[in-house]
Amino acid sequence: MGKGMQNYVVDPMPVENFLNKFLPNPEDYDTSDFASHFASASNAEVFDMQSIKKEEDSYDRFMSNSALMIFRSLTVLLQINGIRPFAPQLLFVNSSKHADTNNCSSFTFNVKPDVCVYADGTLHGCNISKFKVNIEFKWNDVHDAFRKHPGVDQLITSPALRGVDTSVTPASNEDAALARMMLKLTSTMRMLKVAVPQDPAVEDSDWLTLIIPQPVAKGFSLVGRWTRTCPAFDILNNRVVMFKDSWRMLLKDVLPEGETYRLLRSHNVHNVATCIAFHDVIHATPERNTQTVKFGSAEWACPNKAVTPHILHHLVLDLVGKQLTDFESSHQLVQSVRDALLAHQDAYKNAKILHRDLSVGNIGPRQTTRTGTWQFMSAHLVKNSFAIHAVEDDLESGLYVVLWTALKYRESYMSIIDRTQFILQIFDADPLVGTGGSAKSDWLVARTYFPRDIFIGCKPLDNLVVELAQFFSHQYSLVSPEAQESLVRLWLSLQEVLDEAGSVHMAAQQKMIDVAQCCLLESSAYQKEIGMQILHSHKAVINIYDKYLGSSGWPDKDAAVLQKVHPTNKQSGCRLYTKSLCASQDLTSTWVQVTPSGNKCRLDPEGDVEILSSVAGLDGLVSFDQ
């Protein structure tokens, strides 16, 4: 965690500067009483933490004896020796052996902070939906997120400014009960209320009041947009809508996502949901927005990568989508990706917007800070860490969305071991300094480890995958100088015959022309040349989808069923990675787990856009218990 955070920390901020900026002492607060308590406690024997040899032995000592924390109500350092004199309203619980099984059941790891701090009377265990502060001990310097600058004392947490979104409040019992019924939720689901203006540009705009379910915790990375989406109940209009909460990039040339929807709608882009309300959440306290970027040029700041400012953004859509991995049939899966490509074509040609991230969790949404989700990026982008993202990369991603989803959720003739190896080698190739090697491009060209018959009882899906692979392989196929020279000679010879024949061909001349044309079609150099000319063509790719969608042989009912994979030392398939998170690692690259739609990647100029097919999923739906 410390290593992953290094590029997003501006330090070492002097403690006094930190306190003056974020925790100014109220003018009417007398710290003398606290100072005397603190001086007395700090001299006590219980403050001796150096005698403790193991981390787990420090928790109870901390709880009953000593610790330093910052609390907004006091705006001073608190000592938890007998916490009561300093924070009688808070309860400190040793939760190191009690994982949160209620809110974090979907995690692949246990969530059990060393100490949880509650204000509601909770006495036992860990409940991340209730604690006000969680405290984590690290007993070794290598786990220090600030070890990059050794020897610098650093204060790393500010409970006073935890980033709580005060625009979201508990829903009333009456509203909660109605929303649960409309959203088909259990009676125990906690419900929240949030308001979003229908037109943020109008001062007295009408507001939508939405009732949403409490989000279920997911294992997000520490740095990112923290996108959450969920169905919501619109009280005023008595309807179910889609609500999205995320931290968007706050840059001059980046449109808010709601504005991008308006742009797409004005250009008649197909298969795009209608945005019915959106706004940036402006807090009365400026510090509730992201702060790190403001200090990047401070005199005390060490050189670091640029940190981008973000602001909380709320968005409401009229359409509640389904996850792509919940397809009811293989035909529906392919149709969904085809519909998304049609929207992609309209957005690119009419509104001049390039999606840059077609993925399973993202047929649908793209985010401005990314260039793609690792598993679904083109072979060109995977292999070349600094490549420019072009339209053909998105078109190629459509193939990987279909293939990955089908391999994960449909029966195939491949054995469990073969399917697992294929997913690991082609989709989950370990990146080294941002590059994932040539396994994906090699497969496109040779289609190794891939049988001609792939999916049981679904020949159209087999044929679609093979033809799309052939279509995109031209960018990666190699042509020898001899083959290229032979093509030139053949082309010149054909041109000579055509010139001699004129507009009327003799039988012998026509035969020579036919033979020369057949040789052209068989030439690998000619195939590559023609293939490269249409590589960026939406129409050419969509025609391939339409060709097989209109063919016979699709099963009537072959709904998605998660297939087994062989256990491996590395988790595959259920983790999705983004390019920049891989590129930011050093030669001993470490994988970073993020949401199904990925997280942050390098900057591009366009605003967010969500392109939805008839059944395509919205990212983050998996983050909510429905």
Side-chain angles (χ1 to χ4, degrees):
M1 180 173 68
K3 181 179 179 180
M5 286 296 298
Q6 282 185 353
N7 291 328
Y8 303 96
V9 172
V10 175
D11 67 330
M13 188 175 190
V15 173
E16 183 177 359
N17 291 20
F18 183 92
L19 294 175
N20 290 338
K21 174 62 181 176
F22 298 108
L23 297 168
N25 184 36
E27 294 181 0
D28 59 348
Y29 182 76
D30 182 6
T31 61
S32 59
D33 184 58
F34 167 80
S36 62
H37 278 283
F38 184 79
S40 175
S42 62
N43 293 324
E45 182 180 351
V46 295
F47 236 99
D48 178 19
M49 299 290 282
Q50 296 181 354
S51 63
I52 299 176
K53 303 302 181 184
K54 296 188 298 182
E55 177 183 318
E56 54 267 28
D57 294 337
S58 68
Y59 306 149
D60 289 331
R61 174 76 67 90
F62 171 87
M63 302 262 301
S64 63
N65 300 325
S66 65
L68 293 177
M69 293 295 293
I70 301 175
F71 290 95
R72 186 178 183 184
S73 59
L74 297 179
T75 65
V76 288
L77 294 177
L78 295 182
Q79 189 262 16
I80 309 177
N81 160 26
I83 263 304
R84 296 175 184 81
F86 301 101
Q89 75 281 20
L90 298 176
L91 291 170
F92 291 71
V93 176
N94 183 343
S95 53
S96 61
K97 298 181 180 179
H98 305 281
D100 186 340
T101 58
N102 294 321
N103 299 294
C104 306
S105 58
S106 62
F107 280 39
T108 58
F109 52 88
N110 289 328
V111 175
K112 47 181 181 180
D114 297 335
V115 174
C116 287
V117 184
Y118 299 100
D120 65 347
T122 300
L123 294 173
H124 304 286
C126 173
N127 187 324
I128 66 171
S129 68
K130 291 184 176 182
F131 68 59
K132 298 301 181 182
V133 176
N134 70 290
I135 303 168
E136 188 71 18
F137 285 70
K138 293 302 176 189
W139 215 243
N140 192 308
D141 286 345
V142 300
H143 297 141
D144 183 1
F146 303 95
R147 191 169 177 260
K148 183 177 180 181
H149 308 297
V152 176
D153 291 333
Q154 181 76 344
L155 191 60
I156 63 173
T157 183
S158 173
L161 298 169
R162 295 189 304 273
V164 175
D165 182 6
T166 55
S167 67
V168 178
T169 58
S172 68
N173 291 338
E174 181 181 357
D175 290 343
L178 179 58
R180 290 191 196 100
M181 179 181 68
M182 296 297 294
L183 299 174
K184 299 181 173 58
L185 300 173
T186 64
S187 60
T188 59
M189 173 60 69
R190 184 186 179 206
M191 306 302 290
L192 306 172
K193 180 175 71 173
V194 61
V196 184
Q198 297 191 52
D199 189 342
V202 177
E203 185 175 351
D204 297 325
S205 171
D206 292 335
W207 288 64
L208 295 180
T209 299
L210 306 179
I211 307 300
I212 62 174
Q214 173 185 302
V216 174
K218 287 291 174 180
F220 295 138
S221 61
L222 289 178
V223 178
R225 289 162 44 88
W226 285 81
T227 301
R228 297 182 184 273
T229 63
C230 66
F233 178 59
D234 176 1
I235 295 177
L236 180 63
N237 299 291
N238 194 34
R239 60 179 174 177
V240 175
V241 296
M242 176 62 68
F243 173 71
K244 180 175 181 179
D245 175 289
S246 64
W247 286 83
R248 76 170 186 89
M249 292 175 58
L250 186 59
L251 296 176
K252 180 180 179 180
D253 297 327
V254 176
L255 285 177
E257 192 169 358
E259 295 289 356
T260 305
Y261 270 102
R262 289 183 175 179
L263 181 61
L264 294 175
R265 181 62 60 183
S266 68
H267 286 87
N268 300 314
V269 175
H270 291 79
N271 302 331
V272 175
T274 298
C275 177
I276 55 180
F278 70 96
H279 76 139
D280 290 334
V281 180
I282 307 297
H283 291 287
T285 305
E287 285 77 14
R288 288 183 181 270
N289 297 321
T290 55
Q291 298 291 303
T292 308
V293 69
K294 298 180 180 179
F295 303 98
S297 59
E299 61 180 11
W300 46 260
C302 294
N304 211 329
K305 293 185 178 180
V307 178
T308 306
H310 287 71
I311 191 168
L312 188 61
H313 189 69
H314 287 165
L315 181 80
V316 185
L317 305 178
D318 68 334
L319 176 67
V320 179
K322 293 175 60 179
Q323 296 181 73
L324 195 66
T325 52
D326 286 338
F327 62 84
E328 297 176 7
S329 68
S330 299
H331 189 278
Q332 187 187 61
L333 164 64
V334 175
Q335 182 72 51
S336 298
V337 177
R338 183 266 182 197
D339 290 347
L341 291 176
L342 182 61
H344 188 280
Q345 174 181 253
D346 286 351
Y348 181 68
K349 293 184 176 181
N350 302 340
K352 310 304 180 186
I353 292 176
L354 180 61
H355 191 283
R356 286 189 173 91
D357 186 13
L358 290 180
S359 64
V360 165
N362 232 18
I363 300 290
R366 80 172 277 280
Q367 298 175 1
T368 59
T369 54
R370 68 170 75 194
T371 53
T373 307
W374 188 252
Q375 279 82 350
F376 311 109
M377 286 194 299
S378 71
H380 178 62
L381 293 178
V382 167
K383 188 175 181 179
N384 302 281
S385 58
F386 297 103
I388 301 299
H389 197 131
V391 63
E392 54 264 31
D393 296 303
D394 278 356
L395 296 178
E396 186 180 324
S397 291
L399 162 61
Y400 304 131
V401 170
V402 171
L403 180 56
W404 184 92
T405 308
L407 286 172
K408 292 290 293 182
Y409 292 91
R410 204 193 180 285
E411 285 186 301
S412 76
Y413 291 108
M414 300 175 74
S415 68
I416 293 177
I417 293 178
D418 287 345
R419 186 170 64 248
T420 303
Q421 287 180 334
F422 183 86
I423 292 173
L424 289 174
Q425 293 169 2
I426 306 304
F427 293 106
D428 291 344
D430 285 352
L432 191 63
V433 194
T435 175
S438 60
K440 188 175 282 187
S441 59
D442 291 346
W443 173 76
L444 285 175
V445 174
R447 285 174 295 287
T448 51
Y449 313 111
F450 209 65
R452 184 72 188 190
D453 293 325
I454 311 166
F455 300 105
I456 296 175
C458 195
K459 196 61 180 175
L461 181 56
D462 292 350
N463 295 337
L464 171 70
V465 169
V466 170
E467 185 161 342
L468 286 173
Q470 291 173 338
F471 181 91
F472 294 111
S473 68
H474 297 300
Q475 181 173 198
Y476 312 103
S477 60
L478 299 178
V479 176
S480 67
E482 294 78 13
Q484 190 67 43
E485 184 178 347
S486 176
L487 173 62
V488 173
R489 289 199 303 267
L490 181 59
W491 180 257
L492 291 175
S493 299
L494 176 60
Q495 191 62 48
E496 184 177 343
V497 174
L498 290 172
D499 291 341
E500 291 177 358
S503 59
V504 179
H505 301 172
M506 295 172 52
Q509 291 173 324
Q510 184 61 53
K511 186 173 183 179
M512 291 178 63
I513 292 172
D514 292 342
V515 170
Q517 289 177 335
C518 286
C519 292
L520 275 177
L521 294 175
E522 292 297 323
S523 166
S524 60
Y526 179 78
Q527 291 174 0
K528 180 178 178 67
E529 183 174 311
I530 297 301
M532 290 297 291
Q533 291 178 9
I534 60 173
L535 197 64
H536 63 281
S537 169
H538 284 87
K539 182 178 180 180
V541 175
I542 292 173
N543 283 345
I544 296 176
Y545 282 86
D546 288 343
K547 171 183 174 181
Y548 292 105
L549 283 170
S551 66
S552 59
W554 291 95
D556 293 331
K557 293 183 178 180
D558 57 336
V561 177
L562 184 62
Q563 302 297 303
K564 293 181 179 179
V565 294
H566 195 273
T568 63
N569 292 331
K570 154 178 125 171
Q571 294 186 15
S572 66
C574 58
R575 286 185 176 187
L576 302 183
Y577 311 93
T578 57
K579 188 175 181 182
S580 70
L581 286 175
C582 298
S584 67
Q585 307 301 324
D586 61 17
L587 292 176
T588 55
S589 178
T590 302
W591 288 99
V592 182
Q593 184 172 6
V594 296
T595 62
S597 63
N599 208 310
K600 287 186 69 177
C601 282
R602 67 176 181 260
L603 174 64
D604 61 58
E606 288 81 11
D608 290 2
V609 50
E610 298 194 3
I611 302 174
L612 308 178
S613 72
S614 54
V615 296
L618 288 166
D619 77 327
L621 267 177
V622 69
S623 298
F624 286 79
D625 188 7
Q626 300 175 56

